[in-house]
Amino acid sequence: MALTLVEASKLHKGDVVRSAIIEIYARSSDILRVLPFETIAGSALKYNREETLPGVGFRGVNEGYTESTGILNPIVEPLVIAGGDLDVDKFILKTMGEDQRSVQEAMKAKALSLSWTAKFIKGDQESDPKEFDGLQIRLAGNQLIDAGATSGGDVLSLTKLDELIDAVQEPTALIMNKTMRRKLTAAARTSTVGGYIIYEPDEFGRTITKYNDLPILIADEDNTGTQILPFTEANPGGGTAASTSIYCVSFGEGMLTGIQNGDIDVADLGELDSKPCLRTRVEWLTGISIFHGKAAARLQGIKNAAVVA
């Protein structure tokens, strides 16, 4: 059974450090907060993805059916190793308190969470074989929708946004940057544009925005402070790269999930021989898997401008 990180953190009540680290991962990323993870054995997940359904028809009396079978494409999703070491000098602990180690561990967990979120969108194994391919690389064909064909990008229209949602089977969320969320909420306050926007609390009591009942998940900055979905993507219509993308996803078993071999591992390695520091290692064998061909879609070529109907 696939569990979100918030749910997984509840399973480690006896392990306070691990439970806290898992919760920080979830709290630091809108995507990791709601993405379910399936635990697998081994270093990769092998499965078949449905591509074409078998044909059906009608027959007359004493006639036969035309044989037809569906098409299943085999897929292999490898796990990658994400994590890091954290050293805290004993001088800091003695002069500033033992809680400084927890503070540093929390900062490391947040950095790893933001880095993972960036790879979920922009990961590219061709440029770095140590990471997994993100949605930008994976989505093509009918699951890649152009906002238009204007040089320099096109404004987001609610019609195109609804087309994006319709391209996903059983959609559960939208993913975008903060600027596009602001423009959607502004459009909802404009009588000539509109858009159904509501606000609800998330698992941590923070307010989330919904468009047509779909939560808007924010892909903001990675661990280096770099925007994950900036207005610097190439435009389908050419011109200076000045566009961003919005993603629609269906999170859940049989659709789009994270994969992992065991939960996030937190190890206290104690004092190092080489220096008077205490080391904590956080490591996660992880990846993502798109089980269904319509589990996600991308709307590209959106320029930084007000939303239209």
Side-chain angles (χ1 to χ4, degrees):
M1 180 178 67
L3 297 175
T4 65
L5 294 184
V6 175
E7 294 166 337
S9 68
K10 300 174 183 176
L11 301 178
H12 298 282
K13 289 301 183 182
D15 190 338
V16 177
V17 175
R18 177 181 294 195
S19 179
I21 291 295
I22 293 175
E23 183 173 320
I24 290 168
Y25 261 73
R27 187 186 293 271
S28 302
S29 165
D30 275 0
I31 293 170
L32 282 173
R33 177 176 56 82
V34 296
L35 178 66
F37 279 83
E38 182 175 332
T39 299
I40 66 172
S43 60
L45 175 64
K46 299 179 181 179
Y47 62 96
N48 292 321
R49 179 185 297 163
E50 174 189 292
E51 296 295 336
T52 304
L53 293 173
V56 295
F58 302 90
R59 71 175 183 86
V61 178
N62 294 326
E63 293 180 348
Y65 291 107
T66 300
E67 190 279 334
S68 176
T69 56
I71 297 176
L72 295 173
N73 286 340
I75 306 291
V76 178
E77 295 283 5
L79 294 174
V80 301
I81 306 171
D85 290 339
L86 168 66
D87 295 343
V88 179
D89 197 295
K90 293 177 68 177
F91 174 82
I92 294 176
L93 300 179
K94 288 181 178 179
T95 58
M96 301 179 65
E98 294 289 335
D99 62 332
Q100 284 301 308
R101 193 174 186 190
S102 298
V103 170
Q104 295 297 324
E105 288 170 349
M107 292 172 61
K108 175 68 76 171
K110 182 178 181 180
L112 292 172
S113 174
L114 296 177
S115 176
W116 192 99
T117 301
K119 301 308 177 187
F120 178 83
I121 301 292
K122 300 281 190 176
D124 184 356
Q125 281 194 321
E126 186 171 325
S127 62
D128 186 352
K130 297 178 183 178
E131 64 190 39
F132 55 83
D133 283 336
L135 296 185
Q136 180 171 295
I137 292 291
R138 295 168 182 251
L139 298 177
N142 293 333
Q143 302 312 107
L144 179 59
I145 301 169
D146 294 340
T150 306
S151 177
D154 290 83
V155 298
L156 172 66
S157 72
L158 296 183
T159 300
K160 276 292 183 181
L161 185 57
D162 291 341
E163 181 183 339
L164 170 71
I165 294 171
D166 286 344
V168 177
Q169 184 168 309
E170 300 176 0
T172 59
L174 294 167
I175 301 173
M176 63 187 72
N177 63 31
K178 287 182 176 179
T179 301
M180 292 313 306
R181 180 180 63 182
R182 288 198 306 272
K183 294 187 181 302
L184 273 177
T185 56
R189 297 190 296 269
T190 305
S191 59
T192 56
V193 183
Y196 180 58
I197 295 288
I198 61 173
Y199 304 91
E200 291 183 358
D202 66 10
E203 292 86 342
F204 299 105
R206 302 170 301 192
T207 300
I208 60 171
T209 306
K210 286 187 172 184
Y211 172 79
N212 282 1
D213 286 331
L214 292 178
I216 295 176
L217 309 179
I218 297 300
D220 191 19
E221 296 180 347
D222 67 8
N223 55 305
T224 67
T226 302
Q227 289 289 324
I228 298 174
L229 286 172
F231 289 93
T232 57
E233 295 179 357
N235 317 302
T240 302
S243 295
T244 188
S245 296
I246 295 177
Y247 293 82
C248 183
V249 294
S250 176
F251 288 158
E253 293 189 45
M255 301 302 286
L256 170 57
T257 72
I259 53 176
Q260 62 181 1
N261 184 322
D263 294 328
I264 298 168
D265 186 46
V266 182
D268 184 352
L269 303 183
E271 184 173 349
L272 302 177
D273 292 334
S274 57
K275 55 183 178 179
C277 292
L278 300 180
R279 172 167 293 180
T280 303
R281 176 169 295 163
V282 179
E283 196 162 71
W284 195 17
L285 308 183
T286 182
I288 64 173
S289 181
I290 301 180
F291 292 98
H292 194 285
K294 293 186 176 182
R298 174 190 176 197
L299 178 62
Q300 66 172 351
I302 305 167
K303 70 179 183 180
N304 191 352
V307 174
V308 299

